[in-house]
Amino acid sequence: MAKDSTTPRSSGSRMASGRVRRGAKLGKLAARQAALGAGTRLSMIGRSDDARAVLAERSTLRAAEQLVTVLGNLKGAAMKAGQMFALIDLDLIPESHRADFQAKLAALFDNAPQVGFDDMRQVIEADLGPLNSAFAEFDATPIGAASIGQVYRARLHDGRNVAVKVKYPGVDRAVRSDMRNLVLFGKLFTAQWPTLQNGALVEEFTSNLERELDYIGESKTQQAVAREFVDHPYIVIPDVVEEMCTDHVLVTELFDGESFESIRRLPPDERNHYGELIYRFYVGSLFERHEFCGDPHPGNILLGDNGKICFLDFGLYHRMSPAGVEEERRMLCAAAENDADGLRGMMVAAGVFAESAPVTADECLAYVWDAAEWHLVDDEIAIDPAVATGTVLLALDPRSREHANLRRQNLPPEHMFSRRTDFLTFGVLGQLRVTNNWHRIAREWLFDEAPTTEIGRDIARWRASRSAMTEKVD
């Protein structure tokens, strides 16, 4: 897709690059280094080099292996908790450790129960009655499998093609057992991640996993989101078949599209087009609708023959209070404008730390840039798997002394899933190898500015049309 050619804003203060390098051999860069042009991209690109240096140290590698091992002892929830590690570019792992790390990583995604169709059929018929009464046709070969259940293709008696998501027998009990194990996980890692000490983040994570077991709640969420995206110029959300959704079975319209791999094979301009849509759906929805899907990964993204992109799976869907969204927006705006003092005041007001805490305004600014730089740099940033890996590993690096004071403060638990979504979206875009000025897109929801891309303008016209139609009906 063609992009507008726009003149970059000249505010040098807004262009602070915000990355502090960690590798001892690589040295350190200033936290607020002012940069333009290619310089703004160096801090992102350099993450892969930093990650390689971090992983070369055995203590950090052992910590990563320990984390994967702990998650591997879980059941269904391990696949959710471990998705972040699927982003790792294994070429960055020292060759002497690569095979072992890869084997442990793979184990996270081999924990889905192996359940034959006879057992799955019993689950369906217990909720919907005899299979041939509920469906005109039903393909016993699953078209998808995940941590909670499997998905099948079927046809209703009225001729509609549908996707049927069915829980594994006993998965509710298994995942609730995982939740108890996650509390232990939090205790094991408080030394490396002090923000886990009060248990609030683990509690927030487990409550969201509990929500994923609720197929009735998921069906209502998906139905609401599908209605929000009716006739969208670029995005499709399959609607639900409400009367066929139960505690253990979720039936939706079938979107017969191609997998994420087909998007990865497209030319760069087309990948960038779909990358912008992924960014808007997973990240922008928080600020535009105060809600977002907490499960961005390639398996939940399909490409239709008509060029539209389809998003699936609304089990890990999160809604944030308007006040919480406003806190995030204002903090990001302050960081984008290099307002260190204002940012520190907001963090104190949000309860991240007390006014008397030994945290400087510059440390606050560097910390936010470290976590959200790709939203803040007013320049094009290319995201690839190595950059995504560096971002995730350096954020989790237990040996880092950067931002030590802030790492020991209290991240409000409401914001945990928005950060998780941010990381995972970055990882998905890394797999797609896309380039964009993400900051210019984000200014639509951060600063309420007019869109600067063709996609943004098309969506704005669609929204205006829907609003006009709603007013006419009223």
Side-chain angles (χ1 to χ4, degrees):
M1 277 292 184
K3 296 197 307 178
D4 275 4
S5 175
T6 53
T7 303
R9 295 172 177 79
S10 59
S11 174
S13 63
R14 191 188 306 121
M15 299 297 294
S17 69
R19 270 295 298 132
V20 180
R21 303 251 179 158
R22 289 182 170 86
K25 294 181 180 179
L26 298 173
K28 294 183 177 180
L29 298 179
R32 297 171 60 184
Q33 174 189 5
L36 292 171
T40 61
R41 295 189 291 273
L42 281 177
S43 55
M44 297 296 296
I45 296 171
R47 290 175 189 261
S48 58
D49 296 327
D50 290 348
R52 186 173 284 107
V54 166
L55 286 171
E57 294 199 9
R58 293 177 61 88
S59 60
T60 300
L61 184 61
R62 282 198 301 270
E65 288 176 334
Q66 184 184 13
L67 180 57
V68 172
T69 299
V70 169
L71 294 176
N73 289 330
L74 302 179
K75 305 178 187 68
M79 295 177 68
K80 296 299 178 190
Q83 275 178 357
M84 193 172 293
F85 285 86
L87 309 177
I88 292 177
D89 182 352
L90 290 172
D91 286 341
L92 296 179
I93 305 290
E95 190 170 357
S96 58
H97 294 75
R98 193 174 301 163
D100 184 49
F101 192 88
Q102 188 170 23
K104 290 182 178 182
L105 184 63
L108 291 178
F109 301 95
D110 291 336
N111 281 326
Q114 300 297 314
V115 180
F117 182 68
D118 287 345
D119 291 329
M120 299 298 283
R121 178 171 183 159
Q122 290 181 31
V123 175
I124 299 169
E125 294 189 332
D127 281 20
L128 297 179
L131 203 65
N132 57 4
S133 296
F135 302 96
E137 295 179 8
F138 197 101
D139 188 345
T141 303
I143 59 175
S147 57
I148 304 299
Q150 289 182 167
V151 183
Y152 299 87
R153 180 192 300 265
R155 186 168 61 84
L156 302 181
H157 289 288
D158 62 10
R160 284 180 291 171
N161 293 319
V162 293
V164 184
K165 185 158 73 169
V166 186
K167 281 186 190 176
Y168 297 117
V171 73
D172 297 72
R173 185 172 59 254
V175 170
R176 290 188 175 105
S177 174
D178 287 351
M179 293 176 190
R180 291 190 292 271
N181 289 338
L182 280 172
V183 175
L184 174 62
F185 159 79
K187 292 177 180 178
L188 287 173
F189 286 91
T190 53
Q192 289 95 337
W193 290 278
T195 52
L196 294 176
Q197 284 178 346
N198 63 11
L201 298 187
V202 173
E203 182 179 345
E204 180 75 1
F205 188 82
T206 56
S207 69
N208 278 275
L209 283 175
E210 178 78 25
R211 214 173 289 162
E212 190 173 19
L213 295 172
D214 180 11
Y215 272 17
I216 297 294
E218 181 178 350
S219 70
K220 292 178 180 177
T221 295
Q222 183 162 343
Q223 184 178 58
V225 178
R227 288 173 179 172
E228 289 179 10
F229 282 85
V230 169
D231 296 326
H232 192 281
Y234 298 105
I235 293 172
V236 174
I237 308 297
D239 205 350
V240 302
V241 182
E242 188 175 6
E243 66 275 13
M244 299 188 74
C245 295
T246 70
D247 289 337
H248 305 96
V249 181
L250 177 61
V251 181
T252 70
E253 296 173 343
L254 180 69
F255 185 86
D256 207 1
E258 297 183 58
S259 71
F260 184 81
E261 285 300 312
S262 64
I263 306 178
R264 292 182 65 183
R265 294 192 293 268
L266 293 173
D269 286 350
E270 294 182 54
R271 294 201 310 274
N272 292 341
H273 169 83
Y274 290 111
E276 180 176 340
L277 292 173
I278 291 169
Y279 180 66
R280 287 179 178 277
F281 180 76
Y282 284 122
V283 177
S285 59
L286 168 64
F287 300 97
E288 294 172 339
R289 303 197 311 276
H290 300 175
E291 57 187 34
F292 58 95
C293 182
D295 204 13
H297 71 82
N300 290 337
I301 301 171
L302 298 175
L303 177 62
D305 292 338
N306 59 359
K308 290 190 176 184
I309 192 169
C310 173
F311 295 98
L312 305 172
D313 199 340
F314 294 85
L316 278 179
Y317 204 76
H318 195 83
R319 292 178 174 85
M320 188 181 288
S321 69
V325 174
E326 181 63 8
E327 279 181 355
E328 288 216 12
R329 188 194 69 79
R330 290 178 64 233
M331 288 182 192
L332 286 172
C333 288
E337 295 183 329
N338 213 24
D339 180 7
D341 292 331
L343 178 61
R344 187 185 190 280
M346 293 174 201
M347 295 177 81
V348 169
V352 177
F353 53 84
E355 175 64 42
S356 59
V359 181
T360 69
D362 282 355
E363 286 176 322
C364 292
L365 186 63
Y367 184 75
V368 174
W369 271 86
D370 196 43
E373 182 182 6
W374 66 302
H375 307 300
L376 305 176
V377 172
D378 194 359
D379 198 359
E380 289 196 340
I381 290 178
I383 308 174
D384 62 24
V387 170
T389 297
T391 299
V392 173
L393 289 180
L394 291 174
L396 297 177
D397 177 13
R399 72 170 177 83
S400 173
R401 305 219 183 276
E402 295 296 344
H403 315 307
N405 290 332
L406 272 161
R407 287 179 189 274
R408 296 182 182 276
Q409 307 308 320
N410 295 315
L411 175 68
E414 185 181 30
H415 299 278
M416 187 192 98
F417 254 58
S418 65
R419 295 305 92 218
R420 176 184 185 273
T421 294
D422 204 69
F423 272 131
L424 291 177
T425 301
F426 195 72
V428 169
L429 295 177
Q431 295 295 316
L432 205 55
R433 297 177 181 270
V434 293
T435 301
N436 214 319
N437 187 324
W438 311 102
H439 175 72
R440 286 300 181 91
I441 300 170
R443 290 189 73 88
E444 293 176 31
W445 49 77
L446 295 181
F447 293 93
D448 194 26
E449 293 185 354
T452 60
T453 69
E454 180 181 345
I455 289 175
R457 288 190 292 273
D458 285 345
I459 293 175
R461 284 190 288 268
W462 167 75
R463 285 184 180 142
S465 175
R466 281 174 61 92
S467 296
M469 188 176 299
T470 300
E471 291 175 3
K472 185 175 181 180
V473 170
D474 293 343

